[in-house]
Amino acid sequence: MCQLLAMNCNVPTDIVFSFTGFAMRGGQTDTHHDGWGIAFFEGAGVRHFVDHQAAVNSPIAELIKRYPIKSKNVIAHIRKATQGQVALENCHPFVRELWGQYWVFAHNGDLKAFAPVLDGPYRPVGSTDSELAFCYIMQQLRNRFGTERPARAALRAALAELTQEIAAYGTFNMLLSSGAELFAHCSTHLVYLVRQFPFDTAHLSDEDVQVDFSQVTTPDDRVAIIVTQPLTSNEQWTAFQPGELKVFVDGMPEAQL
Amino acid sequence: MCQLLAMNCNVPTDIVFSFTGFAMRGGQTDTHHDGWGIAFFEGAGVRHFVDHQAAVNSPIAELIKRYPIKSKNVIAHIRKATQGQVALENCHPFVRELWGQYWVFAHNGDLKAFAPVLDGPYRPVGSTDSELAFCYIMQQLRNRFGTERPARAALRAALAELTQEIAAYGTFNMLLSSGAELFAHCSTHLVYLVRQFPFDTAHLSDEDVQVDFSQVTTPDDRVAIIVTQPLTSNEQWTAFQPGELKVFVDGMPEAQL
């Protein structure tokens, strides 16, 4: 199993605080030492960092903790290998292009006997069940909607069906973003919170670090953090329901349609 | 215009020495300050770094200069914007997946009135002529060869035709790799050299740095460096002919068929 972390915001925000705690689980406070990765949207572009070293030992993770890259949508992953060897091509998040947008995907869980027919342009490079599921999602979205991206509600409905279909093969906690919004599906473990005015101080669970967000924000800022297990010890995290798909836009979950 | 750098080797090798000189041209010894990028193949996986800051000021470029990532195929680019604004999505190299392999592409030059019909799955995310040309190449290879990658000779012949077709619209110096080999096409400026036993000392042209490669290699190592302008002042660089496509495999150019 692995752990997932995502951030969705209304203004570009750095993820240094949350990533610092999360990266500790990549080999120090937890056993997810088979690689890690993170992708930041910046406009339509993506900064994509993957490493097959444990996050706690990685010079690239060190850079991320020090270099405040600002983004409205971030997806990160630390890996404990279940399927697929420890190799760079098996590190999440994965990136593909669809409808002239980059799509970023990460998965926590294990799929058994999941062998969809891939007859379209999306094919896995590595050997994980996760990348296979991502390619299947890309293929099915393209098959269903053709050459143009549909409205968000149609996309959400299609992803609710697709994630349910895939989750029937095992555990499928997943994060997906094209930079405009963030989709999160929970099979077993996923929690979130929204930080907004009035901001307060947050304490990391995995390291003795705290930040007073009221000092580094404006009253209009809003940030949603989605993660496998709560990252802070003094904030209220809300658990997803099993089978639930949420869409985060501008730092908050979109109301269910 | 921009500058290109590539490395193709028979064993995984770090590019720290060449990148150090090349990065100086990203805003210091030359005026290519509108972003930069580099992609390293590691097995089937790719480490992809892009930044819209000038390479000389970029914390990520600093990391690359210090962290010896070993790779058999590397493509790097420093950008001086001609088409497309300065933005992350316009930084080379670009990455797409075809036939279950990642393909990495970078371009130096300018294409005028190049507007191919893109009716397949590859669509540009940014606004450069370069990414458009890359998407066209991916589409045409997929149209020609279907769902399986052909033998190298067939791929080379197809790319010779495609690069010639695109170069008719302007300047098209380009680098393309799927990790197995490196294709390089020259319209105007591209030079290369092969470093192999007996190794000697090389002096960078852009910075007062030298390396005695005999101290950091084994007699079996072989490395080809392909670049817009020679990187060293004391080695023999060979210029490509205008219109020439070369394929580098295991650190040397493949004989013309």
Side-chain angles (χ1 to χ4, degrees), chain B residues 44-77:
Chain B
V46 171
R47 293 180 192 263
H48 180 224
F49 301 89
V50 281
D51 207 350
H52 54 56
Q53 296 188 56
V56 291
N57 299 328
S58 163
I60 301 174
E62 199 54 38
L63 174 83
I64 307 288
K65 285 191 270 180
R66 293 173 190 284
Y67 182 31
I69 298 171
K70 287 181 185 288
S71 173
K72 289 172 71 174
N73 285 284
V74 180
I75 290 179
H77 182 271

Side-chain angles (χ1 to χ4, degrees), chain A residues 128-154:
Chain A
T128 62
D129 51 350
S130 309
E131 191 187 8
L132 184 62
F134 179 38
C135 289
Y136 180 66
I137 290 173
M138 293 287 96
Q139 168 181 297
Q140 295 307 93
L141 290 180
R142 188 167 182 270
N143 284 351
R144 184 182 296 215
F145 297 112
T147 57
E148 296 302 325
R149 182 188 159 113
R152 181 172 296 142

Side-chain angles (χ1 to χ4, degrees), chain B residues 184-207:
Chain B
H185 177 264
C186 174
S187 276
T188 53
H189 300 293
L190 217 51
V191 299
Y192 77 96
L193 60 67
V194 173
R195 292 194 185 112
Q196 56 190 344
F197 185 82
F199 290 94
D200 208 340
T201 297
H203 304 263
L204 283 185
S205 307
D206 294 79
E207 197 167 14

Side-chain angles (χ1 to χ4, degrees), chain A residues 40-53 58-60 63 67 69 88-89 94-102 119-126 131 135 142 147-148, chain B residues 40-53 58-60 63 67 69 88-89 94-102 119-126 131 135 142 147-148:
Chain A
F40 303 78
F41 278 93
E42 200 173 294
V46 172
R47 294 180 192 264
H48 181 224
F49 301 89
V50 282
D51 206 350
H52 53 57
Q53 295 188 56
S58 163
I60 301 174
L63 174 83
Y67 181 32
I69 298 171
L88 194 66
E89 66 268 25
F94 301 100
V95 184
R96 290 292 188 280
E97 175 258 309
L98 170 62
W99 301 317
Q101 296 185 307
Y102 292 122
D119 52 9
Y122 300 98
R123 299 254 297 273
V125 173
E131 191 187 8
C135 289
R142 188 167 182 270
T147 57
E148 296 302 325
Chain B
F40 303 79
F41 277 95
E42 201 173 293
V46 171
R47 293 180 192 263
H48 180 224
F49 301 89
V50 281
D51 207 350
H52 54 56
Q53 296 188 56
S58 163
I60 301 174
L63 174 83
Y67 182 31
I69 298 171
L88 194 66
E89 66 268 25
F94 302 100
V95 184
R96 290 291 188 281
E97 174 258 311
L98 170 62
W99 301 316
Q101 297 185 307
Y102 292 121
D119 52 10
Y122 300 98
R123 300 254 297 272
V125 174
E131 191 187 8
C135 289
R142 187 166 184 270
T147 58
E148 296 302 325

